[in-house]
Amino acid sequence: MIDPTLLLQALILGLVEGVTEFLPISSTGHLIIAGQLLGFNGEKAKVFMIAIQLAAIFAVVWEYRARLGHVAMTLHREPASQRLAINLMAGFLPAAVLGFLFYKEIKGYLFNPIVVASALVIGGVLILWAERRKHVITTEGIDALTWQRALAVGFAQALAMIPGTSRSGATIIGGLFLGLSRKTAAEFSFFLAIPTMFAATAYDLYKNWRLFDVHDVPLFAVGGIAAFVSALIAVRTLIKFVSRHDYTLFAWYRIVFGGVVLATAYFGLVDWSAGH
């Protein structure tokens, strides 16, 4: 029998993952901090946190199943479907190459709450800057996106290999700088998450499969289901939100949250290095 405390921790982390994966506030960063507070850490915990992101990605696949199915069925004949496929490959490439080259360094040195908190604050300031500059829209809709802009968004996504940066935040804000509308930037971020997170999860599990056995199945099931349901709600909510608002709210949240973590570390209120 698996420890009920572990199942509760998996449920909490699954909810944290699902809610934060597609918001520009860093799901990985929140998972690292939440895991530290819950005492759920170590090498196995790091892989668990990556793996439950896969469940959140399935939420995007489900939400956009009609569009994805149409692309798959018409890829051989429709230019719009071919363009989306090319754009996803272009956007995926930078993170795939850099992630493969620097996997050990990223996992070994950057997965800690202080790095996360610092990246949250810096990212929040960048979002404020992006929102306060004049936003000239040159790309209205996914079908109007060029492969060159998709590649540039991909390089922005690669910055999210630093935990706390936020994959969705980097791609969305990168998209805004490149002239994408808020809705287009958010939707392309969702689509780009599919190959990126599938690849990251598969590679991480391949590198660490010896850490798991059959007794971990309930842990992954609970965390995965929680992540899927909460991510589905978050995706639908974000699209509605950005149709009427900007990302300033998320920027201030990042700055305050990251600032609190840094303050507690500086004044010795929380030992963020414990268990790492």
Side-chain angles (χ1 to χ4, degrees):
M1 293 292 292
I2 194 166
D3 186 352
T5 301
L6 282 178
L7 291 179
L8 178 60
Q9 291 174 339
L11 175 64
I12 294 171
L13 292 172
L15 292 173
V16 170
E17 159 59 26
V19 169
T20 60
E21 176 63 44
F22 301 104
L23 303 182
I25 57 176
S26 177
S27 61
T28 302
H30 279 72
L31 286 173
I32 291 171
I33 291 172
Q36 192 77 50
L37 292 173
L38 292 170
F40 190 88
N41 41 44
E43 291 303 312
K44 182 179 289 193
K46 290 179 184 178
V47 182
F48 169 82
M49 291 176 185
I50 294 292
I52 60 173
Q53 290 178 335
L54 182 61
I57 299 307
F58 276 120
V60 169
V61 174
W62 177 257
E63 181 67 10
Y64 289 97
R65 62 192 182 280
R67 176 67 185 275
L68 293 171
H70 177 78
V71 169
M73 295 297 292
T74 62
L75 189 59
H76 64 289
R77 67 175 187 270
E78 285 194 8
S81 297
Q82 295 166 0
R83 190 180 306 114
L84 178 59
I86 291 171
N87 287 342
L88 289 178
M89 286 189 289
F92 167 69
L93 195 59
V97 174
L98 294 173
F100 177 77
L101 292 175
F102 298 105
Y103 175 84
K104 290 183 178 179
E105 289 78 8
I106 293 167
K107 295 297 290 290
Y109 299 106
L110 300 182
F111 271 61
N112 69 78
I114 301 305
V115 170
V116 167
S118 301
L120 282 170
V121 173
I122 294 170
V125 172
L126 289 176
I127 292 175
L128 288 178
W129 178 36
E131 287 292 5
R132 291 180 179 179
R133 66 193 289 272
K134 186 177 181 181
H135 185 203
V136 179
I137 298 175
T138 58
T139 304
E140 186 70 72
I142 292 289
D143 291 337
L145 185 64
T146 64
W147 72 264
Q148 293 93 337
R149 281 200 170 96
L151 180 63
V153 172
F155 278 106
Q157 177 179 247
L159 294 173
M161 289 187 292
I162 302 172
T165 301
S166 172
R167 190 206 60 79
S168 59
T171 52
I172 290 172
I173 299 306
L176 294 182
F177 275 112
L178 292 165
L180 279 63
S181 68
R182 287 188 177 87
K183 185 177 180 181
T184 301
E187 288 189 336
F188 187 64
S189 175
F190 295 162
F191 283 121
L192 190 55
I194 296 172
T196 302
M197 296 313 302
F198 268 120
T201 302
Y203 186 67
D204 223 332
L205 292 177
Y206 166 74
K207 296 286 287 186
N208 297 278
W209 66 271
R210 292 181 181 83
L211 294 174
F212 299 96
D213 57 40
V214 69
H215 299 99
D216 293 312
V217 171
L219 198 69
F220 277 74
V222 169
I225 292 171
F228 177 86
V229 174
S230 54
L232 191 60
I233 295 171
V235 166
R236 293 174 178 176
T237 302
L238 183 60
I239 287 296
K240 292 179 181 178
F241 181 87
V242 298
S243 298
R244 298 185 293 270
H245 306 87
D246 61 21
Y247 292 98
T248 301
L249 176 65
F250 300 112
W252 284 115
Y253 171 81
R254 292 175 63 110
I255 292 170
V256 171
F257 185 40
V260 168
V261 173
L262 291 175
T264 57
Y266 180 80
F267 292 108
L269 300 176
V270 178
D271 181 6
W272 291 108
S273 64
H276 179 68

